[in-house]
Amino acid sequence: MEYLQVTFRIEAGAGEASVLAESLLLEQTIETPLDVARRYPFVRDNMLGRILELAPETEDVVLATLELPLVNARLGVPQFLNVLFGNSSLHERVSLDSFELPPALAKEYPGPRFGIAGIRDRLGVHGRPLTCSALKPVGLTTTQLSSLCRTFALGGIDLIKDDHYLANQPFSPFRERVASCIMAVLDAATETGRRSVYCPNLCGTPDEILRQADEAQEMGVQAVMVAPMLIGLPMFAELVRNRLNIPVLAHPSFAGSTRIRPDTLQGRLFRMLGADAIIFANYGGRFSYSPGVCEAIAERAREPWHHFAPAFPVPAGGMQVERTAELIDFFGMDTILLVGGSLLAAGDALLEQTRKFTESVAEAASTRTR
Amino acid sequence: MEYLQVTFRIEAGAGEASVLAESLLLEQTIETPLDVARRYPFVRDNMLGRILELAPETEDVVLATLELPLVNARLGVPQFLNVLFGNSSLHERVSLDSFELPPALAKEYPGPRFGIAGIRDRLGVHGRPLTCSALKPVGLTTTQLSSLCRTFALGGIDLIKDDHYLANQPFSPFRERVASCIMAVLDAATETGRRSVYCPNLCGTPDEILRQADEAQEMGVQAVMVAPMLIGLPMFAELVRNRLNIPVLAHPSFAGSTRIRPDTLQGRLFRMLGADAIIFANYGGRFSYSPGVCEAIAERAREPWHHFAPAFPVPAGGMQVERTAELIDFFGMDTILLVGGSLLAAGDALLEQTRKFTESVAEAASTRTR
């Protein structure tokens, strides 16, 4: 018998938590009274799972690790989520802490197809963090967006991504925007001798997303951005596996809506399904994640884990150029630094501000490798 | 200009909440400093949205109602979720309370295609709540499941659904299970003169789910069950709209993982995307929803709302036959009563226990309509 190991965080004292863990075990397996299952030998011997450990974290919190029958967690992402945190998610005092994949399940998932090494090779950038900025605000015309894109490219940004609100709006249709931004980076490359990568955001109905993926690749796009929780994790997995031959940046939109530990959701689940770079809300920005949570996300993204290639962590969400050195110290070289609004705030001095950003990254990196 | 009205629940006192609401407004619209947006007339005039109301609920909680530009919330379910609760979901003290659809957006969604009236007509059952039970536990063979199915049908159950863990496991493959359970209800109908409806659970990769939907309908299945949050809301919407010509029961697995008010997610979002019946964790069962939360889910499912047909509420999750009368008093006639494990616990007396359930529903209903 093989099992999926899932750790739930239960908000209760030791005694009550042990009762809750027993009911969670039934919830995530047979979902009937135990007597019913005992009547069927195959069910009794194969479907029950077991409680592996009850570890008190504080007086009011217990981490309960359950072993759940692997046979029910295979068969695609929805069924995996079902066993991982399906009905258990409906228990108010239960959240998903973490999970361990047995090798038999891990091998069903690709992980990042490019990851850190693949993205570095494609960009030809080694020995320093990559730089990234965003085309926004939503509401700009295609011409305005591609003009920003050209400026970022002239300023030396490695990855220029769409704002996550850019979809297929009438004021900037997807196809037109992609074509125009590709031209902008090519045009800038004739001046700088270095080509930036433009990453369009794929967003729409499942059919439209598949079409956008095809169109973008036909037009020569070298990376895309997708929000896995917006389009749904099963759809994200299938998109990566069946349609995309280029790296994928995962955007966190809608990801905070879950009661799943952020590094488990964004660091593990997104990576396992194929994210090559993981954008997350960094500490000290517009969001309230702590440095510890951000460090954990970066660790889950890069640590050795089955055959899954390491993915880039991309701290973001209100980052400032002035924090470059601090962020490199905190996250290390294998990081993509994303600065968006704080570049755009420079107005007419956008090119200078962009250069300041890319130069500060190069300088901080060279100091650290000397 | 048309807007989507979204109400966020902010955990903060009035002063701080008003600051947080301002930042939420930027987060859900231009995601840049306000100065940047003001440079572009179109953005300034069309993309900014506004705060409609800040209503203190308690000393520490404020309900903030924002108006967000509709143009960004169209273009499919992922983009709708993006504007509804995308980056805002990453703010720890913010949850999604509710939303109002403007008519222009409502008309892009089908709502239940059958709903209460359509399901009643198909089953020929009027004047009483419908009855439902579940084939489980997972791990039973096809023969064992279809034998349960036959017994439930003989006992007069209206809707016999798969357990939500039944997918395409080797011990009970989807196609074989569906064929066998259809035979079971047909067979029972020759004895009873009344045909129960068997509802298989669709679960697998997106491709597999589409194939299962086609296969089930080809085999004559009259209703299916799907867990919208497991397969992803965009995929659920597309499945309903493009592939299913029969009623859909929505299962709540993974739905509790969100920080979205349960009646908003299960009552409104599931209904808007096409759920004809909505299974939820009832009060007094295995889960901890209060009577008030359950009443709200039922209300959202059935209340007049745009052109959307009313959907059946399906209270479930550890219900007992003995609670029939109480539940009918609480939820009314237009309800599907789902009793699963508590029937199965009867063992050899399953048929008697099933009859007791269906007869108690008929009796309680006739008392109330006399």
Side-chain angles (χ1 to χ4, degrees), chain A residues 27-33 36 39-40 42-43 47 71-72 75-76 78-79 81-82 85-87 89-92 136-140 144 163-165 167-171 203-208 230-231 234-235 238 242 251-260 286-289 341 344-345 347, chain B residues 27-33 36 39-40 42-43 47 71-72 75-76 78-79 81-82 85-87 89-92 136-140 144 163-165 167-171 203-208 230-231 234-235 238 242 251-260 286-289 341 344-345 347:
Chain A
E27 198 67 57
Q28 293 306 100
T29 55
I30 54 167
E31 219 206 346
T32 50
V36 175
R39 257 178 250 142
Y40 305 99
F42 179 82
V43 175
M47 293 290 123
V71 64
N72 296 324
L75 313 157
Q79 192 63 8
L81 297 175
N82 210 358
F85 195 45
N87 274 8
S89 76
L90 300 167
H91 288 271
E92 268 171 24
K136 58 186 181 180
V138 61
L140 298 192
Q144 289 169 323
D163 180 40
H164 72 291
Y165 288 125
N168 192 25
Q169 285 96 334
F171 45 74
C203 197
T205 63
D207 278 352
E208 282 162 4
L230 284 185
I231 72 168
M235 175 72 198
E238 197 133 305
N242 298 341
H251 189 281
S253 185
F254 204 47
S257 71
T258 59
R259 288 212 314 271
I260 304 177
R286 301 196 306 271
F287 301 88
S288 47
Y289 285 175
L344 296 168
Chain B
E27 198 68 58
Q28 294 305 101
T29 55
I30 55 169
E31 219 204 349
T32 50
V36 175
R39 257 179 251 142
Y40 305 99
F42 178 82
V43 174
M47 293 289 122
V71 64
N72 296 324
L75 313 158
Q79 191 64 7
L81 297 175
N82 210 357
F85 195 45
N87 273 8
S89 76
L90 299 167
H91 288 272
E92 267 172 23
K136 58 185 181 182
V138 62
L140 298 192
Q144 289 169 322
D163 180 41
H164 72 290
Y165 287 125
N168 192 24
Q169 285 96 335
F171 44 75
C203 198
T205 64
D207 279 351
E208 283 162 0
L230 284 185
I231 73 169
M235 176 70 196
E238 198 134 304
N242 299 341
H251 189 281
S253 185
F254 204 47
S257 72
T258 59
R259 286 212 314 272
I260 304 178
R286 299 196 306 270
F287 302 88
S288 48
Y289 285 174
L344 296 167

Side-chain angles (χ1 to χ4, degrees), chain B residues 15 43 65 97 107 118 127 146 201 224 228 241 267 272 305 338 342 367:
Chain B
V43 174
T65 301
D97 185 78
K107 76 176 183 211
S146 61
N201 178 40
V224 293
R241 198 192 289 264
M272 157 186 168
W305 190 39
L338 168 52
S342 124
T367 319

Side-chain angles (χ1 to χ4, degrees), chain A residues 31-105:
Chain A
E31 219 206 346
T32 50
L34 207 49
D35 284 350
V36 175
R38 288 200 180 116
R39 257 178 250 142
Y40 305 99
F42 179 82
V43 175
R44 185 194 60 210
D45 296 341
N46 296 283
M47 293 290 123
L48 292 180
R50 67 186 187 104
I51 297 173
L52 194 67
E53 195 187 3
L54 292 173
E57 196 183 57
T58 68
E59 261 187 30
D60 309 313
V61 172
V62 172
L63 295 179
T65 301
L66 274 53
E67 286 194 329
L68 304 169
L70 191 60
V71 64
N72 296 324
R74 307 179 86 147
L75 313 157
V77 177
Q79 192 63 8
F80 174 65
L81 297 175
N82 210 358
V83 172
L84 187 70
F85 195 45
N87 274 8
S88 51
S89 76
L90 300 167
H91 288 271
E92 268 171 24
R93 291 188 291 167
V94 175
S95 61
L96 176 61
D97 185 79
S98 54
F99 64 91
E100 292 298 332
L101 285 182
L105 190 53

Side-chain angles (χ1 to χ4, degrees), chain B residues 45-313:
Chain B
D45 297 341
N46 295 283
M47 293 289 122
L48 292 180
R50 66 184 187 106
I51 297 174
L52 195 67
E53 194 187 4
L54 291 173
E57 197 183 56
T58 67
E59 262 188 29
D60 309 314
V61 172
V62 172
L63 293 179
T65 301
L66 274 53
E67 287 195 328
L68 304 169
L70 191 60
V71 64
N72 296 324
R74 305 179 87 148
L75 313 158
V77 177
Q79 191 64 7
F80 174 66
L81 297 175
N82 210 357
V83 172
L84 187 71
F85 195 45
N87 273 8
S88 51
S89 76
L90 299 167
H91 288 272
E92 267 172 23
R93 291 188 292 165
V94 175
S95 60
L96 175 61
D97 185 78
S98 53
F99 63 93
E100 292 298 330
L101 287 181
L105 190 53
K107 76 176 183 211
E108 294 182 9
Y109 291 94
R113 284 109 21 95
F114 301 90
I116 293 176
I119 291 179
R120 284 197 177 285
D121 284 349
R122 294 193 136 221
L123 285 163
V125 178
H126 300 273
R128 66 162 172 82
L130 304 187
T131 55
C132 180
S133 193
L135 303 178
K136 58 185 181 182
V138 62
L140 298 192
T141 61
T142 300
T143 310
Q144 289 169 322
L145 290 169
S146 61
S147 160
L148 282 182
C149 188
R150 186 171 178 277
T151 307
F152 284 144
L154 288 175
I157 298 284
D158 298 311
L159 294 158
I160 302 164
K161 73 169 198 63
D162 279 348
D163 180 41
H164 72 290
Y165 287 125
L166 299 187
N168 192 24
Q169 285 96 335
F171 44 75
S172 167
F174 179 81
R175 208 186 158 78
E176 178 187 286
R177 180 172 82 245
V178 173
S180 187
C181 288
I182 288 178
M183 286 306 295
V185 295
L186 288 175
D187 181 51
T190 61
E191 283 194 40
T192 63
R194 255 199 88 254
R195 188 170 159 193
S196 302
V197 165
Y198 162 65
C199 311
N201 178 40
L202 308 187
C203 198
T205 64
D207 279 351
E208 283 162 0
I209 287 172
L210 296 176
R211 197 177 58 239
Q212 288 171 1
D214 293 345
E215 282 181 1
Q217 291 176 107
E218 278 161 25
M219 287 192 271
V221 154
Q222 295 295 308
V224 293
M225 182 171 82
V226 182
M229 292 300 283
L230 284 185
I231 73 169
L233 293 174
M235 176 70 196
F236 175 67
E238 198 134 304
L239 177 71
V240 169
R241 198 192 289 264
N242 299 341
R243 295 301 261 270
L244 289 175
N245 302 311
I246 51 178
V248 185
L249 278 68
H251 189 281
S253 185
F254 204 47
S257 72
T258 59
R259 286 212 314 272
I260 304 178
R261 219 176 68 187
D263 59 311
T264 294
L265 178 63
Q266 296 172 62
R268 292 222 135 168
L269 263 169
F270 286 9
R271 177 181 171 194
M272 157 186 168
L273 302 181
D276 296 288
I278 295 158
I279 302 171
F280 61 93
N282 195 24
Y283 70 93
R286 299 196 306 270
F287 302 88
S288 48
Y289 285 174
S290 68
V293 167
C294 297
E295 195 181 6
I297 294 174
E299 207 173 313
R300 293 296 92 70
R302 294 185 298 208
E303 70 191 357
W305 190 39
H306 295 288
H307 63 283
F308 303 142
F312 269 115

Side-chain angles (χ1 to χ4, degrees), chain A residues 1 40 50 59 65 91 133 150 161 167 184 189 197 205 214 218 226 234 249 255 266 273 297 307 333 336 346 368:
Chain A
M1 275 297 293
Y40 305 99
R50 67 186 187 104
E59 261 187 30
T65 301
H91 288 271
S133 194
R150 185 172 179 278
K161 72 168 198 65
V197 165
T205 63
D214 293 345
E218 277 161 25
V226 182
L249 279 67
Q266 295 172 62
L273 301 181
I297 295 174
H307 62 282
M333 292 292 183
I336 299 179
R368 277 155 192 78

